[in-house]
Structures are given as C-alpha cells and as structure tokens.
Amino acid sequence: MSVRNGAGGGDGRQAGPGRRTVAATAALGAALLLTGGCGTSRSRPGGRRPDHGPAFVPRLPAPTGPHPLGVTTLYLVDPSRHDPWDHRLTRREVMITVRYPARTVAGHPVAPQMTPGAAKVFAGLDPRFHPGLPTSGVDWAATRTHAHTGAPAQPVRRPVLLHTPGGGDPRTLGTGLAEELASHGWVVVSIDHPGDAGEVEFPVTTPQRPAPVRTTVFRGDPRTDPDLFRTMVDTRLADTRFVLTQLAVLAAGRNPDAAGRPLPDGLGHALDLRRVGIYGHSAGGTTAAQALHDDRCLRAAVNLEGHLDHPSRRPGRAGPLFPVARHGVDRPLLLVGTDGFPGRQELARSWSALLAHPHGRTRRREIRHTAHAVFTDHAAFAPQLQTAGLMTARDRNALVGALDPARSIPAVRGLVRTFFARHLPPR
C-alpha cells in the first residue's frame, strides 16, 4: 500500500505507507481482531454460499483505543422544518447515535450494529446501492458492536466529532470508524438523514409516519439529478446545524430525546462543545467540508471522497462549485480519496479548486488499491463475505478495493484519528 499526499495545489507522491497513517504491522493487524476472517481467499463462482447452513454473521473490527465504550441513540424532532422528502411530514425527524468513553460497562449489554427492523430492510436494500453484495444468506441483525448500551460516561469533558454518512447509507454503516475514534477519547455523534438514508428505524411512530422504519427516496445516484443533489446536501447541512443545537441542550443538562427516553449517566457533562469537528463519507464528506465553511463553531473537518461541486445541468459542462471550494476555508480540512473511485477525475476538479487557495489549511491524501466504500464498514464486511463464498472477488474489489483489510482499515482509521488528534486532541 502507498498513500499519496497533497498540500496546497501540489500532489506529491509518497511510496510506502504515509508517514501520518497507521503502519501496517503484524501487531496492528492482530489488534484489529477481524475474527470474521477478512482474508482474500477466492470465492466460489457467483459469490453464493456453497451450502444452506446458518446465515453468515459479519463481524466488526475491534477499536484499538484504551477506553471502554458506551452508546445511546437519540430521537430528535425539529418542529421548525418540514421534511424535504415527504410533504406529509410537517416536522423534521432525525436519529443520532452517540458513542463515548464509558466509566464502566458492567451490567450494560453490548449493542447490535442495527436494530432488527433496520437490519431487515438493509438486507434487501443495500445491494441496490452496492451491487455485488449478497441478497440472502447474511444475518445483519446479529452483528454486534463493541459499545455497551446506556453505560455511564466518564466524567471528563471531551471534544465532539459529528459523523455524516454517504448518500443512501445509514449511519450504522460507519460504526467501525466511529468506535475507533470514541475508544481514543472523542465523543462521536453519527447522524442519520431520513429520506436520504437507506433505512432509519425510529423508537416511536406518528400519525404522519405510521411505520417505525423509513426508507430512502433515492432510486439511483443523486449526482445524476442536480435538484435532488442540492436538496440532499442542503438538508444534511440543516440536519447538522439542528443536531448541534440539540447537543447544546444535552450539554446544558436537559434531555433532547423527543420520546423522553432516559439518558446515560453523565453524558451531557462529557460534551465539550467548544471543540467540535466533523467528518463524513461521500455526500457526508461534501456536507462536512461545506459545514466547516459555514459554521465557525466547527474547528476541523475530514472529507472522505465527497464531491465539492454540484452536478452540471448541461452535459459536458462543469457544475458550480460549493462555496467551500470557491472561497477556501481557514480551518483544518483533510481530503481523503482512493485510486479506485470511478468518479475520481470528476472529483479532482473541485478538490483542486479548494487546494489552490494560497492561505488555506487543506491537505489531501489518497489510499491506493482501495475503492469508494473502503471508508465504510464494508471495508471489513466485503472480504468476510468473499471468504464465505457470498461475494465474488471482482465485486469485493469494486466495492472496497483489493487491499487487505488488515492494511486498509488501519490506513483509514489512522488518517482520520491522527488528523483530529492534531487539531482536536482529547485531554
């Protein structure tokens, strides 16, 4: 593996592992505890399971930090906004997951990655967004995290990192990276964007939304529809601003959960909202970079392969740049890409425009032999599915790249963790 580095307008190339990434050592590979078998053995033709035994259970890589993890979810309702995707919904509903260093985890169960309702929908829906994933033979509801539901938070003020997932992806598909960051001392808040996210399960129903699970309105790539793309990003930015206001409510000692569900002990006191960063993948990366430009309370951001321009309305013409790319940003911003992303050339225009600003603090990195979904939990899942005969090598490589997960996962984690440790260090 090699990581290409870029700063300002340059695009230097560095052979071997990047100096500020995680070294791919045997010890670190072992520390990942990829017990699901993330090897690269050959899958059977068609990527189908060779028998009809129990459904396969994907496993998440363990976090490497010293802190045990607590986790909770919050149901947030913004009465000032109509839902942009469904005119029947007069209030915008948002779900978030908060992961944090726990004081103790004794007596608190390990949380599943997905709720049962969300996992059922994910099994049928995610293969539409990520072709090559199996449509059967996987028990997504059985995947467990490394965080404990409702565990009390450590009595320490900690910097907060917002996480916004890729377009069409649920927040749960970024669990591994969120757990890694929380285990090293950050409070990580993962945001679902209902109507955009593949599936979101709410703790309650409403007369306007009688079903507990809401699915995406997307039926293809939002980049092919300029109006859809604009609505998606604008909504994500508004969701992010709203979540920040609700975290302030939480930090002030009140409960922002619209269903009144109890909070973990000490959670509000663990939030240091003077030190907030944001990261995201794909459309989430677009959101993270633009939010950094818009909101002075955000101190640093990571864009994991998100476009910084709008789709063009005229074939063959470039679309308008986002303000962050037009004007630059005066706070730290990291752009991370892959060499296997089909939209890499299109991405280069907006990224180069941002990097050209002479007084900016933006840097670029590229992880070689990887593809777009390497920034999600599919970096661990796809190789496991390939080994289990549920996914072909070709489909796995198109999704996350050919790089062994014992190297790709530490590379992604290392870049993001090192960046935030420099600019928003836990105390």
Side-chain angles (χ1 to χ4, degrees), residues 6 11 35 54 63 128 139 187 193 223 256 259 297 299 325 343-344 398 400:
D11 186 20
T35 52
R128 301 182 189 177
D139 186 356
V187 174
H193 305 282
R223 289 287 297 180
C297 80
R299 302 274 294 275
R344 185 167 170 243
V400 299

Side-chain angles (χ1 to χ4, degrees), residues 164-167 223 229 232-234 236-237 278-294 301-310 322 324 333 335 347 350-351:
T164 172
R223 289 287 297 180
F229 187 82
M232 175 180 68
V233 177
D234 287 348
R236 285 163 166 263
L237 290 168
I278 184 170
Y279 71 95
H281 169 235
S282 197
T286 307
T287 305
Q290 187 57 43
L292 182 70
H293 173 274
D294 294 346
V302 178
N303 173 357
L304 302 171
E305 210 155 59
H307 293 273
L308 296 179
D309 61 351
H310 291 275
F322 277 93
V324 64
L333 172 60
L335 309 175
L347 194 75
S350 63
W351 282 21

